[in-house]
Amino acid sequence: MPKTLFEKIWQDHLVADLGNGSHLLHIDRVFLHERTGSIALTGLAERKLQVRNPAHAFCTMDHIVDTRPGRGDETAMPGGREFITRTRQETRRAGITLFDINDPRQGISHVIAAEQGIALPGLTMVCPDSHTCTLGALGALAWGIGSSDCEHALALETLRVIKPEQMAVYLEGDLARGVTAKDVMLHLIAEYSASGGRGYAIEFRGSGIGQLPVEARMTLCNMAVEFSAFTGLIAPDEATLDYVAGRPYAPVGDQRDAATAYWRQLSSDDGAVYDRELRVDLADVEPTVTWGTSPQHAVGISGRVPDPGNESDEAAGRAMQRALDYMGLNPGTAMSSIPIDAAFIGSCTNSRLSDLRAAADILEGNKIARGIKAICVPGSSRVKLEAEQEGLDQVFRDAGFEWRESGCSLCFYAGGEGFTRNERVITSTNRNFEGRQGPGARSHLASPATVAASALAGFITDARITGN
Amino acid sequence: MKPFTRHRGVAAPLIRVNIDTDTIIPSREMRRVSKHGLADGLFAGWRYLDTPGGKRENNPEFVLNKPHYAGATILLAGNNFGCGSSREHAAWALVEYGFRAVIAPGFGSIFHGNAVRNGLLPVKLPEPAIDALNEYASASPETNRILVDLENTTVRGAAGDEFGFVIEPAHREMLLQGLDAIAMTQQHLGLIEAFRAADRQRRGWAYLDAGQATTPALIKASISVSVKSSS
């Protein structure tokens, strides 16, 4: 019987069918960070359990660590230091590799797991962080878990999982110039709602995948969780194999040959069946921006803030009205006229080198609008270094952006820094929830190009019109 | 973990769609490396008024601050409850506050798993059923209590108003018996060992513990190697 990519990886990791719908799956890699990883390691120690295979577990400092230049263990968050020192102590005790604050490999977990070759095609990987699905872009089965499951994965190299249903999202055709993977995901979620992919293992496939660079595929899979999916994944192709080759933790020599042979057959068979199939015609997607407090509150940049009165679903209409009240917006307002106070480029969604290049292309030789607070936070210390080698930091600085150290930073409030009440932020991040970027802060999700163009103009702006 | 068999309690309505885990417990409320001390932070953004000096004052409009709902142990919610971040703090905070069950048309996947691991029962019911339960409960919250019965997988509101719900058998079993996942899997250590031995032969490339990259010298060298760009 023809199998899907997901089915193949699942079966290759199936230790036992536990009955009652539950399966015991082997977990190849566990990634931790200082916020929830510290708790999982502490929980394990309290139960007098050991990390079963420390060589397959890694940890970074990304969530709470300060991103302001000259940082140390102190953070803007009260009590933040405890997370950092405890993580250092617990990872050392467990024998886990830690990418500490001043390690040149430090960065956002999902960025560096790919960068270091820790995530590989065909592996299972978990992290107590919902955006672990990012790594599905490499053809890994990677998903976010809670602390209890994390303790289980660390102690027993396995997880008890109920097998998810499968969805195929076909991306067909060509993206228009200036439209990105971020726009595709906001478009998809707006169309089918933030719960449209709930519980599914989603394979992104179709003719549109091949044209997307691997980093853009990471943006696609990253946002799968905003679609409420179990995870997103993409079959590895030659671009994936090329991306993986030579990474520090990737296999070498004979093992590399064996891995490559395995990876080359790792795709869905013709005729494989999915529980649900969706299709996005890429030509229909324009730069897309959110107007509300859920990723489903998104609209093309040439569109307007919708009217809750026109919503047929009553609950959704009420949520829209609440969102408009929170966001301080009126129905019918043209999206590309909304003034902003701040611009943020960063996060596991859009902080890789290609994202910074796209923003810098627009910023080069220009200045941000007067009074705008603009911040760029590279996704890893390595991305930061590479960007600096290309002179991108100077482009950002000259335009008026702050240039930060790597971490999750102002994507959310964990590090203790936030935008202020009613401050309107155009942001390359993944969540526009109430209070996500600071109590009362108003977030508009968009691609790095849209963020850059909007920072220059001082209002939400289509990068294709105003860009260089 | 506290087993869940049957529970009768005050049901508080928070019928909004997409209540995310950032809303259930904001990042700034997760102050310590701990699974405890989180109840005060539950729904902090909605529950408290913004007061100068940082002192917390209850928002009288928020449902859990209304006297009738002071003892609420069941939450009636909108679709996709617990979407977003994987933070298990959301489940810990709800449990610590005193909630035993959340009834919603659907849940975020990671939150759902976290709830089960912590003895918090996620009950999936369609909107009309939740509306009916809400209508009954809100008429007199303290006396019109809702009965959630996991043994029979039913929820009972007004007389004669009973709704069946579906839950994965594995989840039901864990909740009914208050089982611990790690302890259960430890019984299968032999299977895990056997899988690993065979898997190592099959997929040697996936194993780092005997591999090249754990060599300190190589790791050190890799730090200085400039990485390839991906596109």
Side-chain angles (χ1 to χ4, degrees):
Chain A
M1 201 174 115
K3 286 190 216 153
T4 62
L5 165 64
F6 169 83
E7 189 72 44
K8 290 179 182 181
I9 303 176
W10 181 276
Q11 286 192 358
D12 278 349
H13 290 83
L14 187 60
V15 176
D17 182 341
L18 300 170
N20 270 347
S22 187
H23 296 86
L24 192 63
L25 277 197
H26 189 262
I27 302 298
D28 294 321
R29 303 283 186 272
V30 182
F31 217 108
L32 309 172
H33 57 67
E34 80 278 31
R35 185 164 81 180
T36 56
S38 56
I39 292 177
L41 286 174
T42 304
L44 213 58
E46 280 168 2
R47 295 184 64 156
K48 310 237 178 314
L49 290 168
Q50 305 234 311
V51 176
R52 193 175 150 88
N53 189 352
H56 285 188
F58 298 84
C59 185
T60 188
M61 305 279 198
D62 58 3
H63 271 59
I64 288 169
V65 66
D66 210 319
T67 56
R68 291 172 295 192
R71 68 180 173 191
D73 291 356
E74 291 303 329
T75 75
M77 173 190 152
R81 188 192 175 97
E82 187 203 352
F83 287 84
I84 288 169
T85 51
R86 186 78 78 83
T87 297
R88 201 171 280 143
Q89 184 187 319
E90 292 298 329
T91 49
R92 188 178 301 139
R93 206 155 58 87
I96 292 173
T97 300
L98 170 68
F99 304 116
D100 207 340
I101 295 175
N102 292 317
D103 191 311
R105 301 167 297 176
Q106 177 273 345
I108 302 175
S109 61
H110 321 306
V111 176
I112 64 174
E115 209 171 67
Q116 293 295 320
I118 294 165
L120 296 169
L123 294 187
T124 50
M125 174 161 176
V126 294
C127 172
D129 188 293
S130 61
H131 290 110
T132 308
C133 51
T134 309
L135 300 159
L138 298 174
L141 183 56
W143 71 100
I145 54 173
S147 301
S148 296
D149 268 357
C150 185
E151 289 173 28
H152 190 294
L154 287 168
L156 297 161
E157 273 193 289
T158 50
L159 273 182
R160 309 170 79 89
V161 196
I162 289 172
K163 193 174 179 181
E165 290 196 306
Q166 298 178 61
M167 177 190 279
V169 174
Y170 291 90
L171 304 182
E172 302 292 356
D174 296 315
L175 277 176
R177 187 184 63 86
V179 182
T180 68
K182 177 65 159 289
D183 303 304
V184 173
M185 285 310 284
L186 290 174
H187 177 92
L188 176 73
I189 296 166
E191 177 89 14
Y192 294 98
S193 94
S195 55
R198 188 166 56 228
Y200 288 101
I202 297 180
E203 182 183 346
F204 293 99
R205 48 190 322 216
S207 64
I209 294 294
Q211 64 180 291
L212 291 176
V214 173
E215 291 189 355
R217 298 178 197 178
M218 291 184 199
T219 304
L220 274 189
C221 290
N222 172 276
M223 296 285 286
V225 70
E226 309 316 330
F227 201 34
S228 297
F230 171 79
T231 191
L233 72 169
I234 295 173
D237 60 9
E238 290 306 312
T240 318
L241 301 197
D242 192 42
Y243 177 93
V244 167
R247 303 269 165 191
Y249 289 92
V252 294
D254 292 351
Q255 293 295 5
R256 183 188 166 178
D257 296 342
T260 305
Y262 178 79
W263 293 337
R264 286 220 162 98
Q265 57 76 47
L266 200 56
S267 60
S268 294
D269 297 329
D270 289 340
V273 177
Y274 299 84
D275 298 290
R276 194 165 178 212
E277 302 192 2
L278 302 179
R279 191 192 147 94
V280 177
D281 193 340
L282 294 180
D284 292 345
V285 183
E286 65 169 330
T288 303
V289 185
T290 62
W291 52 265
T293 54
S294 160
Q296 78 184 42
H297 294 155
V299 67
I301 199 157
S302 64
R304 292 175 181 275
V305 176
D307 187 344
N310 297 338
E311 177 61 46
S312 54
D313 181 81
E314 202 190 326
R318 276 200 308 271
M320 284 170 73
Q321 189 54 56
R322 276 190 58 84
L324 289 182
D325 294 345
Y326 179 87
M327 294 297 288
L329 290 173
N330 293 315
T333 307
M335 286 307 295
S336 59
S337 71
I338 298 171
I340 55 160
D341 304 303
F344 181 74
I345 292 176
S347 88
C348 54
T349 311
N350 281 123
S351 65
R352 286 166 281 268
L353 191 59
S354 54
D355 298 312
L356 304 192
R357 284 178 181 156
D361 270 353
I362 287 158
L363 296 175
E364 190 155 22
N366 293 309
K367 296 258 182 242
I368 60 172
R370 189 184 298 270
I372 302 286
K373 173 160 71 184
I375 298 169
C376 177
V377 182
S380 71
S381 295
R382 185 167 259 183
V383 167
K384 177 172 183 269
L385 179 68
E386 288 178 302
E388 287 170 352
Q389 285 167 349
E390 289 182 18
L392 300 186
D393 58 322
Q394 209 48 52
V395 174
F396 278 97
R397 284 200 178 98
D398 288 348
F401 268 76
E402 283 181 47
W403 180 253
R404 294 279 191 104
E405 296 292 338
S406 149
C408 303
S409 194
L410 285 128
C411 173
F412 55 93
Y413 196 66
E417 268 190 288
F419 294 99
T420 58
R421 189 165 292 280
N422 296 346
E423 204 166 17
R424 190 178 298 286
V425 191
I426 184 100
T427 176
S428 77
T429 56
N430 40 56
R431 287 182 178 145
N432 52 345
F433 302 155
E434 282 186 32
R436 169 83 174 178
Q437 293 189 289
R442 295 163 168 168
S443 309
H444 292 272
L445 306 178
S447 73
T450 304
V451 174
S454 304
L456 295 180
F459 50 87
I460 295 175
T461 297
D462 189 339
R464 298 172 302 179
I465 297 166
T466 60
N468 277 358
Chain B
M1 164 179 124
K2 193 172 168 183
F4 190 113
T5 46
R6 283 153 66 93
H7 173 77
R8 187 189 296 275
V10 174
L14 198 54
I15 314 241
R16 298 174 188 172
V17 293
N18 297 327
I19 294 178
D20 56 80
T21 52
D22 274 77
T23 295
I24 298 170
I25 180 121
S27 286
R28 60 186 181 281
E29 302 295 335
M30 295 152 48
R31 294 176 182 148
R32 301 190 61 83
V33 184
S34 175
K35 302 174 181 178
H36 309 287
L38 296 161
D40 276 354
L42 182 71
F43 296 118
W46 291 346
R47 194 165 143 204
Y48 305 112
L49 293 170
D50 202 24
T51 48
K55 195 162 162 33
R56 276 183 166 162
E57 195 180 308
N58 280 347
N59 173 3
E61 295 301 310
F62 185 63
V63 61
L64 298 182
N65 292 330
K66 295 181 178 173
H68 292 315
Y69 294 109
T73 53
I74 297 167
L75 194 66
L76 303 174
N79 194 18
N80 210 22
F81 183 85
C83 61
S85 156
S86 66
R87 60 189 70 173
E88 197 159 323
H89 304 68
W92 295 329
L94 285 161
V95 169
E96 191 177 305
Y97 183 91
F99 282 108
R100 300 290 334 268
V102 182
I103 305 178
F107 295 88
S109 325
I110 307 174
F111 173 82
H112 189 280
N114 289 340
V116 170
R117 295 274 182 265
N118 288 280
L120 177 70
L121 173 62
V123 179
K124 211 170 143 179
L125 282 182
E127 261 172 53
I130 294 172
D131 288 346
L133 291 170
N134 185 21
E135 195 178 328
Y136 169 70
S138 37
S140 177
E142 286 147 308
T143 50
N144 289 2
R145 300 192 170 206
I146 302 285
L147 176 70
V148 182
D149 183 341
L150 182 58
E151 271 171 342
N152 296 307
T153 54
T154 55
V155 178
R156 202 180 304 157
D161 233 1
E162 190 172 85
F163 305 97
F165 65 92
V166 175
I167 184 167
E168 292 289 347
H171 288 158
R172 179 170 171 274
E173 186 75 9
M174 291 198 79
L175 283 158
L176 279 176
Q177 301 191 38
L179 297 173
D180 175 71
I182 291 181
M184 287 166 77
T185 304
Q186 278 172 329
Q187 299 167 13
H188 301 299
L189 278 175
L191 285 176
I192 297 173
E193 284 298 344
F195 175 90
R196 237 184 99 101
D199 189 47
R200 238 193 141 86
Q201 296 300 314
R202 244 177 351 116
R203 295 190 310 139
W205 57 268
Y207 286 78
L208 289 169
D209 45 353
Q212 83 293 342
T214 45
T215 314
L218 236 149
I219 298 268
K220 210 168 170 190
S222 77
I223 296 173
S224 55
V225 174
S226 93
V227 85
K228 293 161 52 172
S229 97
S230 73
S231 44

